[in-house]
Coordinates of all heavy atoms in Angstrom, one line a residue:
L1 N -1.6 -13.5 9.2 CA -2.4 -14.3 8.3 C -3.5 -15.1 9.0 O -4.6 -15.2 8.6 CB -1.5 -15.3 7.5 CG -2.1 -16.0 6.3 CD1 -2.7 -15.0 5.3 CD2 -1.1 -16.9 5.7
N2 N -3.2 -15.6 10.2 CA -4.2 -16.2 11.0 C -5.3 -15.3 11.4 O -6.5 -15.7 11.4 CB -3.5 -16.8 12.3 CG -2.7 -18.1 12.0 OD1 -2.9 -18.7 11.0 ND2 -1.7 -18.3 12.8
R3 N -5.0 -14.1 11.8 CA -6.0 -13.1 12.1 C -6.9 -12.9 10.9 O -8.1 -12.8 11.1 CB -5.4 -11.8 12.5 CG -4.8 -11.8 13.9 CD -4.2 -10.4 14.2 NE -3.5 -10.4 15.4 CZ -4.1 -9.9 16.6 NH1 -5.3 -9.4 16.5 NH2 -3.5 -9.9 17.7
L4 N -6.4 -12.8 9.7 CA -7.2 -12.5 8.6 C -8.1 -13.7 8.3 O -9.2 -13.5 7.9 CB -6.3 -12.2 7.4 CG -5.5 -10.9 7.5 CD1 -4.6 -10.7 6.3 CD2 -6.5 -9.7 7.6
K5 N -7.6 -14.9 8.5 CA -8.4 -16.1 8.3 C -9.6 -16.1 9.3 O -10.7 -16.5 8.9 CB -7.6 -17.4 8.4 CG -6.7 -17.5 7.2 CD -5.8 -18.8 7.3 CE -4.9 -18.9 6.1 NZ -4.1 -20.1 6.1
R6 N -9.3 -15.8 10.5 CA -10.3 -15.7 11.5 C -11.3 -14.7 11.2 O -12.5 -14.9 11.3 CB -9.6 -15.4 12.9 CG -10.5 -15.8 14.1 CD -9.7 -15.7 15.4 NE -8.3 -16.0 15.3 CZ -7.4 -15.2 15.8 NH1 -7.7 -14.0 16.4 NH2 -6.1 -15.5 15.7
L7 N -10.9 -13.6 10.7 CA -11.8 -12.5 10.2 C -12.7 -13.0 9.1 O -13.9 -12.7 9.1 CB -11.0 -11.3 9.7 CG -10.8 -10.2 10.7 CD1 -9.7 -9.2 10.2 CD2 -12.1 -9.4 10.9
E8 N -12.1 -13.7 8.2 CA -12.9 -14.3 7.1 C -14.0 -15.1 7.6 O -15.2 -15.1 7.1 CB -12.0 -15.1 6.1 CG -12.7 -15.7 5.0 CD -11.7 -16.5 4.1 OE1 -10.7 -16.9 4.6 OE2 -12.1 -16.7 2.9
G9 N -13.7 -16.0 8.6 CA -14.8 -16.8 9.2 C -15.8 -16.0 9.9 O -17.0 -16.3 9.8
Q10 N -15.4 -14.9 10.6 CA -16.4 -14.1 11.2 C -17.3 -13.4 10.2 O -18.5 -13.3 10.4 CB -15.7 -13.0 12.1 CG -15.0 -13.6 13.3 CD -14.3 -12.5 14.1 OE1 -13.7 -11.6 13.5 NE2 -14.5 -12.5 15.4
V11 N -16.8 -12.9 9.1 CA -17.6 -12.3 8.1 C -18.6 -13.3 7.5 O -19.7 -13.0 7.2 CB -16.7 -11.6 7.0 CG1 -17.5 -11.1 5.8 CG2 -15.9 -10.5 7.6
R12 N -18.1 -14.5 7.3 CA -19.0 -15.6 6.8 C -20.1 -15.8 7.8 O -21.3 -16.0 7.4 CB -18.3 -16.9 6.5 CG -17.5 -16.9 5.2 CD -17.1 -18.3 4.8 NE -16.1 -18.3 3.8 CZ -14.9 -18.8 3.9 NH1 -14.6 -19.4 5.0 NH2 -14.0 -18.7 3.0
G13 N -19.8 -15.8 9.0 CA -20.8 -16.0 10.1 C -21.8 -14.8 10.1 O -23.0 -15.0 10.3
L14 N -21.3 -13.7 9.9 CA -22.1 -12.5 9.8 C -23.1 -12.6 8.6 O -24.3 -12.3 8.7 CB -21.2 -11.2 9.6 CG -21.8 -9.9 9.8 CD1 -22.5 -9.7 11.1 CD2 -20.8 -8.8 9.6
Q15 N -22.6 -13.0 7.5 CA -23.5 -13.2 6.3 C -24.6 -14.2 6.6 O -25.7 -14.0 6.3 CB -22.7 -13.7 5.1 CG -21.9 -12.7 4.3 CD -21.2 -13.4 3.2 OE1 -20.2 -14.1 3.4 NE2 -21.6 -13.1 2.0
K16 N -24.2 -15.3 7.2 CA -25.2 -16.4 7.5 C -26.2 -15.8 8.5 O -27.4 -16.1 8.3 CB -24.4 -17.6 8.1 CG -25.3 -18.7 8.4 CD -24.5 -19.9 8.9 CE -25.4 -21.1 9.1 NZ -24.7 -22.3 9.6
M17 N -25.8 -15.1 9.5 CA -26.8 -14.5 10.4 C -27.8 -13.6 9.7 O -29.0 -13.7 10.0 CB -26.0 -13.7 11.5 CG -25.3 -14.6 12.5 SD -24.3 -13.6 13.6 CE -25.6 -13.1 14.8
V18 N -27.3 -12.8 8.8 CA -28.2 -11.9 8.0 C -29.2 -12.7 7.2 O -30.4 -12.5 7.2 CB -27.4 -10.9 7.2 CG1 -28.3 -10.1 6.2 CG2 -26.6 -9.9 8.1
E19 N -28.6 -13.7 6.5 CA -29.4 -14.6 5.7 C -30.5 -15.3 6.5 O -31.6 -15.5 6.0 CB -28.6 -15.6 4.9 CG -27.7 -15.1 3.9 CD -26.7 -16.1 3.3 OE1 -26.6 -17.2 3.9 OE2 -26.0 -15.7 2.3
E20 N -30.2 -15.7 7.7 CA -31.1 -16.4 8.5 C -32.1 -15.5 9.2 O -33.0 -15.9 9.9 CB -30.4 -17.2 9.6 CG -29.6 -18.3 9.0 CD -28.7 -19.0 10.1 OE1 -28.6 -18.5 11.2 OE2 -28.1 -20.1 9.7
G21 N -31.9 -14.2 9.1 CA -32.8 -13.2 9.7 C -32.6 -13.2 11.2 O -33.6 -12.9 12.0
R22 N -31.4 -13.4 11.7 CA -31.2 -13.4 13.2 C -31.4 -12.0 13.8 O -31.5 -11.0 13.1 CB -29.7 -13.8 13.4 CG -29.4 -15.2 13.0 CD -29.7 -16.3 13.9 NE -28.9 -16.3 15.1 CZ -27.8 -16.9 15.2 NH1 -27.3 -17.6 14.2 NH2 -27.1 -16.9 16.4
D23 N -31.5 -11.9 15.1 CA -31.8 -10.7 15.8 C -30.8 -9.7 15.5 O -29.6 -9.9 15.4 CB -31.8 -11.0 17.3 CG -32.1 -9.8 18.2 OD1 -33.2 -9.3 18.0 OD2 -31.2 -9.4 18.9
C24 N -31.2 -8.4 15.3 CA -30.3 -7.3 14.9 C -29.2 -7.1 16.0 O -28.1 -6.8 15.6 CB -31.1 -6.0 14.8 SG -32.0 -6.0 13.2
R25 N -29.6 -7.3 17.2 CA -28.6 -7.1 18.3 C -27.4 -8.1 18.2 O -26.3 -7.7 18.4 CB -29.3 -7.1 19.7 CG -28.3 -6.8 20.8 CD -29.2 -6.6 22.1 NE -28.3 -6.4 23.2 CZ -27.8 -5.2 23.6 NH1 -28.1 -4.1 22.9 NH2 -27.0 -5.1 24.6
E26 N -27.8 -9.3 17.9 CA -26.7 -10.3 17.7 C -25.8 -10.0 16.5 O -24.6 -10.1 16.6 CB -27.4 -11.7 17.4 CG -28.1 -12.3 18.6 CD -28.7 -13.6 18.2 OE1 -28.0 -14.5 17.6 OE2 -29.9 -13.8 18.5
I27 N -26.5 -9.6 15.4 CA -25.7 -9.2 14.2 C -24.8 -8.0 14.5 O -23.6 -8.0 14.1 CB -26.7 -8.9 13.0 CG1 -27.4 -10.2 12.6 CG2 -25.9 -8.3 11.9 CD1 -28.6 -9.9 11.6
L28 N -25.3 -7.0 15.2 CA -24.5 -5.8 15.5 C -23.4 -6.2 16.4 O -22.3 -5.6 16.4 CB -25.4 -4.7 16.0 CG -26.4 -4.1 15.1 CD1 -27.3 -3.1 15.8 CD2 -25.6 -3.4 13.9
T29 N -23.6 -7.1 17.4 CA -22.6 -7.5 18.3 C -21.4 -8.1 17.5 O -20.2 -7.8 17.7 CB -23.1 -8.5 19.3 OG1 -24.1 -7.8 20.1 CG2 -22.0 -8.9 20.3
L30 N -21.7 -9.0 16.6 CA -20.7 -9.7 15.8 C -20.0 -8.7 14.9 O -18.8 -8.7 14.7 CB -21.3 -10.8 15.0 CG -20.3 -11.6 14.1 CD1 -19.1 -12.1 15.0 CD2 -20.9 -12.8 13.4
L31 N -20.8 -7.8 14.3 CA -20.2 -6.7 13.5 C -19.2 -5.9 14.2 O -18.2 -5.5 13.7 CB -21.3 -5.9 12.9 CG -20.9 -4.8 11.9 CD1 -20.3 -5.4 10.7 CD2 -22.1 -4.0 11.5
S32 N -19.5 -5.6 15.5 CA -18.6 -4.8 16.3 C -17.3 -5.6 16.5 O -16.2 -5.0 16.5 CB -19.3 -4.5 17.6 OG -18.4 -3.8 18.5
G33 N -17.4 -6.9 16.7 CA -16.2 -7.7 16.9 C -15.4 -7.8 15.6 O -14.2 -7.7 15.7
V34 N -16.1 -7.8 14.5 CA -15.4 -7.9 13.2 C -14.6 -6.6 13.0 O -13.5 -6.6 12.6 CB -16.3 -8.1 12.0 CG1 -15.7 -7.9 10.7 CG2 -16.9 -9.6 12.1
R35 N -15.3 -5.5 13.3 CA -14.6 -4.2 13.1 C -13.4 -4.0 14.0 O -12.3 -3.6 13.6 CB -15.6 -3.0 13.5 CG -15.1 -1.7 13.3 CD -16.1 -0.6 13.6 NE -17.3 -0.7 12.8 CZ -18.5 -0.7 13.3 NH1 -18.7 -0.6 14.6 NH2 -19.6 -0.7 12.6
S36 N -13.5 -4.5 15.3 CA -12.4 -4.4 16.2 C -11.2 -5.3 15.7 O -10.0 -5.0 15.8 CB -12.8 -4.9 17.6 OG -13.7 -4.0 18.1
A37 N -11.6 -6.5 15.2 CA -10.6 -7.4 14.7 C -9.8 -6.8 13.4 O -8.6 -7.0 13.3 CB -11.2 -8.8 14.3
I38 N -10.6 -6.2 12.6 CA -10.0 -5.5 11.4 C -9.0 -4.4 11.9 O -7.9 -4.4 11.3 CB -11.1 -5.0 10.5 CG1 -11.8 -6.1 9.7 CG2 -10.5 -4.0 9.5 CD1 -13.0 -5.6 8.9
E39 N -9.4 -3.7 12.8 CA -8.5 -2.6 13.3 C -7.3 -3.2 13.9 O -6.2 -2.7 13.7 CB -9.3 -1.7 14.3 CG -10.3 -0.8 13.6 CD -11.1 0.0 14.6 OE1 -10.8 0.1 15.8 OE2 -12.1 0.6 14.2
A40 N -7.4 -4.3 14.7 CA -6.2 -4.9 15.3 C -5.3 -5.5 14.2 O -4.1 -5.3 14.4 CB -6.7 -6.0 16.3
A41 N -5.9 -6.1 13.2 CA -5.0 -6.6 12.1 C -4.3 -5.4 11.4 O -3.1 -5.5 11.1 CB -5.9 -7.4 11.1
G42 N -5.0 -4.3 11.2 CA -4.4 -3.1 10.6 C -3.3 -2.6 11.4 O -2.2 -2.2 10.9
D43 N -3.4 -2.6 12.8 CA -2.4 -2.1 13.6 C -1.1 -3.0 13.5 O 0.0 -2.5 13.4 CB -2.8 -2.1 15.1 CG -3.9 -1.1 15.4 OD1 -4.0 -0.1 14.6 OD2 -4.5 -1.2 16.5
I44 N -1.3 -4.3 13.4 CA -0.1 -5.2 13.3 C 0.6 -5.0 12.0 O 1.8 -4.9 11.9 CB -0.6 -6.7 13.5 CG1 -1.0 -6.9 15.0 CG2 0.5 -7.6 13.1 CD1 -1.6 -8.2 15.2
I45 N -0.2 -4.9 10.9 CA 0.4 -4.7 9.6 C 1.1 -3.3 9.6 O 2.2 -3.3 9.0 CB -0.7 -4.7 8.5 CG1 -1.3 -6.1 8.4 CG2 -0.2 -4.2 7.2 CD1 -2.6 -6.2 7.6
F46 N 0.6 -2.3 10.2 CA 1.2 -1.0 10.2 C 2.5 -1.1 11.0 O 3.5 -0.5 10.6 CB 0.2 0.0 10.8 CG 0.8 1.4 10.8 CD1 1.1 2.1 9.6 CD2 1.0 2.1 12.0 CE1 1.7 3.4 9.6 CE2 1.5 3.4 12.0 CZ 1.8 4.0 10.8
E47 N 2.5 -1.8 12.2 CA 3.7 -1.9 13.0 C 4.8 -2.5 12.2 O 6.0 -2.1 12.2 CB 3.4 -2.7 14.2 CG 2.6 -2.0 15.3 CD 2.3 -2.9 16.4 OE1 3.0 -3.9 16.7 OE2 1.3 -2.6 17.1
T48 N 4.5 -3.6 11.4 CA 5.5 -4.3 10.6 C 6.0 -3.3 9.5 O 7.2 -3.2 9.3 CB 4.9 -5.5 9.9 OG1 4.4 -6.4 10.9 CG2 5.9 -6.2 9.1
Y49 N 5.1 -2.5 8.9 CA 5.5 -1.6 7.9 C 6.5 -0.5 8.5 O 7.5 -0.2 7.9 CB 4.3 -0.9 7.3 CG 4.6 0.2 6.4 CD1 5.1 -0.1 5.1 CD2 4.4 1.5 6.7 CE1 5.4 1.0 4.2 CE2 4.6 2.6 5.9 CZ 5.1 2.3 4.6 OH 5.4 3.3 3.7
L50 N 6.1 0.0 9.7 CA 7.0 0.9 10.4 C 8.4 0.4 10.7 O 9.4 1.1 10.5 CB 6.4 1.5 11.7 CG 5.2 2.5 11.5 CD1 4.7 2.9 12.9 CD2 5.7 3.7 10.7
E51 N 8.5 -0.9 11.1 CA 9.8 -1.5 11.3 C 10.6 -1.5 10.0 O 11.8 -1.3 10.1 CB 9.6 -2.9 11.9 CG 9.0 -2.9 13.3 CD 8.6 -4.3 13.8 OE1 8.8 -5.3 13.0 OE2 8.1 -4.4 14.9
E52 N 9.9 -1.9 8.9 CA 10.7 -1.9 7.6 C 11.1 -0.4 7.3 O 12.2 -0.3 6.8 CB 9.8 -2.4 6.5 CG 9.5 -3.9 6.7 CD 8.4 -4.4 5.7 OE1 8.0 -3.7 4.9 OE2 8.1 -5.6 5.9
C53 N 10.2 0.5 7.5 CA 10.6 1.9 7.1 C 11.7 2.4 8.0 O 12.6 3.1 7.5 CB 9.4 2.8 7.3 SG 8.1 2.6 6.1
Q54 N 11.7 2.0 9.3 CA 12.8 2.4 10.2 C 14.1 1.9 9.7 O 15.1 2.6 9.7 CB 12.5 2.0 11.6 CG 13.6 2.4 12.6 CD 13.3 1.9 14.0 OE1 12.4 1.1 14.2 NE2 14.0 2.4 15.0
A55 N 14.1 0.7 9.2 CA 15.4 0.1 8.7 C 15.8 0.8 7.5 O 17.0 1.1 7.3 CB 15.2 -1.4 8.4
D56 N 14.9 1.2 6.6 CA 15.2 1.9 5.4 C 15.7 3.3 5.7 O 16.7 3.8 5.1 CB 14.0 2.1 4.5 CG 13.6 0.8 3.8 OD1 14.4 -0.2 3.8 OD2 12.5 0.7 3.2
L57 N 15.1 4.0 6.7 CA 15.5 5.3 7.1 C 17.0 5.3 7.7 O 17.8 6.2 7.4 CB 14.6 6.0 8.1 CG 13.2 6.4 7.5 CD1 12.3 6.8 8.6 CD2 13.4 7.6 6.6
T58 N 17.2 4.2 8.5 CA 18.5 4.1 9.1 C 19.6 3.9 8.0 O 20.7 4.4 8.1 CB 18.6 2.8 10.0 OG1 17.6 3.0 11.0 CG2 19.9 2.7 10.7
E59 N 19.3 3.3 6.9 CA 20.2 3.1 5.8 C 20.2 4.2 4.8 O 20.8 4.2 3.8 CB 19.9 1.8 5.1 CG 20.1 0.5 6.0 CD 19.6 -0.7 5.3 OE1 19.3 -0.7 4.1 OE2 19.6 -1.8 6.0
G60 N 19.4 5.3 5.1 CA 19.3 6.4 4.2 C 18.5 6.2 3.0 O 18.6 7.0 2.0
R61 N 17.6 5.2 3.0 CA 16.8 5.0 1.8 C 15.3 5.3 2.0 O 14.5 5.0 1.1 CB 16.9 3.5 1.4 CG 18.3 3.0 1.0 CD 18.3 1.6 0.5 NE 18.1 0.7 1.7 CZ 17.3 -0.3 1.8 NH1 16.4 -0.5 0.9 NH2 17.2 -1.0 2.9
G62 N 15.0 5.7 3.2 CA 13.6 5.9 3.5 C 12.9 7.1 3.0 O 13.5 8.1 2.5
D63 N 11.6 7.1 3.0 CA 10.8 8.2 2.5 C 9.7 8.5 3.6 O 8.8 7.7 3.7 CB 10.1 7.9 1.2 CG 9.3 9.0 0.6 OD1 9.3 10.1 1.2 OD2 8.6 8.7 -0.4
T64 N 9.8 9.6 4.3 CA 8.9 9.8 5.4 C 7.5 10.1 4.8 O 6.5 9.9 5.5 CB 9.3 11.0 6.2 OG1 9.5 12.2 5.4 CG2 10.6 10.7 7.0
R65 N 7.4 10.6 3.6 CA 6.0 10.8 3.0 C 5.3 9.5 2.9 O 4.0 9.5 3.0 CB 6.2 11.4 1.6 CG 6.6 12.9 1.7 CD 6.8 13.4 0.3 NE 8.0 12.8 -0.3 CZ 8.5 12.9 -1.5 NH1 7.9 13.7 -2.3 NH2 9.6 12.3 -1.9
A66 N 5.9 8.4 2.6 CA 5.3 7.1 2.5 C 4.7 6.7 3.9 O 3.6 6.1 3.9 CB 6.2 6.0 2.0
I67 N 5.4 7.0 4.9 CA 4.9 6.7 6.3 C 3.6 7.6 6.6 O 2.6 7.0 7.1 CB 6.0 7.0 7.3 CG1 7.2 6.1 7.1 CG2 5.4 6.9 8.7 CD1 8.4 6.4 8.0
V68 N 3.7 8.8 6.2 CA 2.5 9.7 6.4 C 1.3 9.2 5.6 O 0.2 9.1 6.1 CB 2.8 11.2 6.0 CG1 1.6 12.0 6.0 CG2 3.9 11.7 7.0
E69 N 1.5 8.7 4.4 CA 0.4 8.2 3.6 C -0.1 6.9 4.2 O -1.4 6.7 4.2 CB 1.0 7.8 2.2 CG 1.1 9.0 1.3 CD 1.6 8.5 -0.1 OE1 1.2 7.4 -0.6 OE2 2.4 9.2 -0.7
A70 N 0.7 6.1 4.8 CA 0.3 4.9 5.5 C -0.6 5.2 6.7 O -1.6 4.6 6.9 CB 1.5 4.0 5.9
V71 N -0.2 6.2 7.4 CA -1.0 6.6 8.6 C -2.4 7.1 8.1 O -3.4 6.8 8.7 CB -0.3 7.7 9.4 CG1 -1.2 8.4 10.4 CG2 1.0 7.2 10.0
R72 N -2.4 7.9 7.1 CA -3.7 8.4 6.6 C -4.6 7.2 6.1 O -5.8 7.3 6.4 CB -3.4 9.3 5.4 CG -2.9 10.7 5.8 CD -2.8 11.6 4.7 NE -2.3 12.9 5.2 CZ -1.4 13.7 4.5 NH1 -0.9 13.3 3.4 NH2 -0.9 14.8 5.1
L73 N -4.0 6.3 5.4 CA -4.8 5.1 5.0 C -5.4 4.3 6.2 O -6.5 3.9 6.2 CB -3.9 4.1 4.2 CG -3.6 4.6 2.8 CD1 -2.6 3.6 2.1 CD2 -4.9 4.5 1.9
L74 N -4.6 4.2 7.2 CA -5.0 3.5 8.4 C -6.1 4.2 9.2 O -7.0 3.6 9.7 CB -3.8 3.2 9.4 CG -4.0 2.3 10.5 CD1 -4.4 0.9 10.0 CD2 -2.8 2.2 11.4
R75 N -6.1 5.5 9.1 CA -7.1 6.3 9.8 C -8.4 6.4 9.1 O -9.5 6.8 9.7 CB -6.6 7.7 10.1 CG -5.6 7.7 11.2 CD -5.4 9.1 11.7 NE -4.6 9.9 10.8 CZ -4.3 11.2 10.9 NH1 -4.8 11.8 11.9 NH2 -3.5 11.8 10.1
R76 N -8.5 6.0 7.8 CA -9.8 6.1 7.1 C -10.8 5.2 7.6 O -10.7 4.2 8.0 CB -9.5 5.9 5.6 CG -8.8 7.1 5.0 CD -8.8 6.8 3.5 NE -8.0 7.9 2.9 CZ -7.6 8.0 1.7 NH1 -7.9 7.0 0.9 NH2 -7.0 9.0 1.2

């Protein structure tokens, strides 16, 4: 949740930079950081999901197709 809040602030900063007509290189640098932060947050969310799936599979309740779907979503 903290990562997502930090991301929200970065996106607001990005909007402000565009509104102010800041240098494209500065905007692209921040955009690159936002993209990396989104990917890192996605990795953490996916890791948590996998831990839950592993517990379900251990108990015989899991569905491997759901894991494959999650991987596909993360790669888009």
Side-chain angles (χ1 to χ4, degrees):
L1 194 57
N2 287 335
R3 283 179 184 264
L4 294 176
K5 288 180 181 181
R6 202 171 324 130
L7 262 166
E8 181 182 20
Q10 287 179 319
V11 170
R12 281 196 196 120
L14 192 57
Q15 278 180 293
K16 185 175 180 182
M17 290 174 76
V18 171
E19 289 170 352
E20 293 173 350
R22 300 276 290 272
D23 180 63
C24 285
R25 187 167 174 86
E26 291 178 50
I27 293 170
L28 291 173
T29 299
L30 182 54
L31 183 61
S32 176
V34 168
R35 184 180 300 128
S36 294
I38 287 173
E39 289 177 9
D43 289 345
I44 291 170
I45 291 167
F46 183 63
E47 286 175 24
T48 302
Y49 175 72
L50 284 179
E51 289 169 3
E52 292 171 6
C53 288
Q54 182 180 11
D56 287 346
L57 287 170
T58 301
E59 296 173 8
R61 296 181 289 129
D63 180 8
T64 56
R65 288 176 292 177
I67 296 170
V68 171
E69 283 181 35
V71 170
R72 286 184 180 140
L73 284 171
L74 190 60
R75 286 197 281 177
R76 286 186 183 173

